[in-house]
Amino acid sequence: MLTLIHTADWHLGQSFHGQERHTEHRAFLDWLLETLVERDADALLVAGDIFDVVNPSLRAQELLYDFIVTAHERLPKLDIVMIAGNHDSGNRIELPAPLMRRLGTHALGRVNWLDDGQLDAERLLVPLTDSDAQTRAWCLALPFLRPAEVTGHHLGGKPGDQEESAESAKTPRNEYVEGITHVHQQLFAAARERREPGQALVAMSHAHLHGAQVSESSERPIVIGGEESISAGLFPAEIAYVALGHLHRAQQVGEPRIRYSGSPLPLDFSEVDYPHQVVEVRLSGDALHGTETIPVPRPVAMQRIGPAPLDAVLASLAALEDDPALPRERWPWLQVSVMLDAPVPDLRARVEAALDGKAMRLLRLTRRLPDIDREAPKTRVTLEEMGPQRLFELTWKAHWGEPPGPDVMADFNQLQQQVLDSDATDDARAESHP
């Protein structure tokens, strides 16, 4: 029996409404390490979005590397396989790869193509070994695929090829999805050739699958706002388990062997009620023996009050139970939403007065005022809360009188990802050439 732990979407270094979450991430990684030891795990699979931004802080990077070193000290035979997600810099993830391999860790950030236009699949096939160092399974570790890495390759082309054809005239969305499909298929074919009888195949991918439930408040569209989603049918039955990352809600897609582990911590107040967890995967021979979800304890509580009238909100705040013995970094995060009939200039002061002396951290206060057109109440948001995509949509509509179409949003999201990739590439070059 081979035992794997599947997790994803750590988002180390996340700034939560302007507040750092180092204490929470440290607590999760400490718990994860104890879980790996308790379950006597053979491998840890981390399916992308390890960091929250492409240029993570030194403190966030320290969390990751300290975890890897400590895990190797306590579990010398543990295999760790991690892939880059759309929030990560592929270059950064791979930069310390030679050193990490000495610690039993395989870090895959990008796909490479050979001179003949074929996928360099060998580097993406990671052996998973048991306590006797025998290879019992192969992990098909496929990092997040950016359009520039895959478009054109499913036509048999090479980087830079721009030949016109009926195929190349397809929409960017179709070409991107076909490129993703082509990469997966080449990797599956290489794994079939590499495996020996009795060895399982485990696919790990950072992607959006059709029919999976999305957290709209905190998940950045991968490329073109969900239109890039792929079918779960892409993974053939011979793949014993599919370890997915990107969506923060833990869920299976179609069948028990295809799963998103979800994020281990809520990344937005809208995710407070998600079943945050990691997944234990047990393989017997080349087949899935079973899975078990392991709830992740929440090191810092999150609470929401409202939306409700001001008097009701103040009463709820006064009735909140707190623990004064908690250190400040463990005080619960709090979101308050107030429904008003008219503006209340001293609203924040009144809310803060109701919280005076309580071990709570007010992170977000929203106001809901009646709309003169009797439409749904509108909530005032900051630019940080709105995000670049929504700001672009509103600006476009204000200028042209109608919302941007799918093609415009496709171009915008692709441009946004290119900017992020460019920043990450420049940063990685700076680090490698001091």
Side-chain angles (χ1 to χ4, degrees), residues 17 104 129 132 205 270 273 364 390 409:
H17 297 280
T129 59
D132 296 323
S205 186
S270 65
D273 298 324
R364 189 179 182 195
R390 181 58 178 157
M409 291 310 302

Side-chain angles (χ1 to χ4, degrees), residues 107-118:
L108 287 307
R110 293 189 178 276
V111 297
N112 293 337
W113 297 90
L114 302 175
D115 290 340
D116 61 0
Q118 296 299 304

Side-chain angles (χ1 to χ4, degrees), residues 184-198:
H184 279 83
Q185 290 172 342
Q186 286 200 52
L187 186 55
F188 296 155
R192 291 187 192 102
E193 293 183 4
R194 188 69 178 273
R195 74 188 298 194
E196 296 180 1

Side-chain angles (χ1 to χ4, degrees), residues 79 172 274 283 343 385:
D79 294 317
Y274 281 13
L283 301 173
E385 294 166 347

Side-chain angles (χ1 to χ4, degrees), residues 175-191:
E175 187 176 356
Y176 178 55
V177 172
E178 289 188 13
I180 293 176
T181 301
H182 182 63
V183 170
H184 279 83
Q185 290 172 342
Q186 286 200 52
L187 186 55
F188 296 155

Side-chain angles (χ1 to χ4, degrees), residues 154-171:
H154 67 287
L155 307 179
K158 299 178 182 179
D161 286 353
Q162 301 293 332
E163 295 181 4
E164 288 293 332
S165 68
E167 288 291 324
S168 63
K170 291 183 177 182
T171 65

Side-chain angles (χ1 to χ4, degrees), residues 248-275:
H248 299 165
R249 183 189 293 274
Q251 57 193 291
Q252 68 179 46
V253 185
E255 49 187 310
R257 72 184 179 102
I258 303 177
R259 285 183 176 269
Y260 286 96
S261 66
S263 61
L265 299 172
L267 301 172
D268 183 84
F269 281 103
S270 65
E271 299 179 4
V272 168
D273 298 324
Y274 281 13

Side-chain angles (χ1 to χ4, degrees), residues 95-112:
L95 191 62
L99 175 61
M100 287 198 288
R101 279 196 293 271
R102 294 176 177 266
L103 301 173
T105 299
H106 304 264
L108 287 307
R110 293 189 178 276
V111 297
N112 293 337

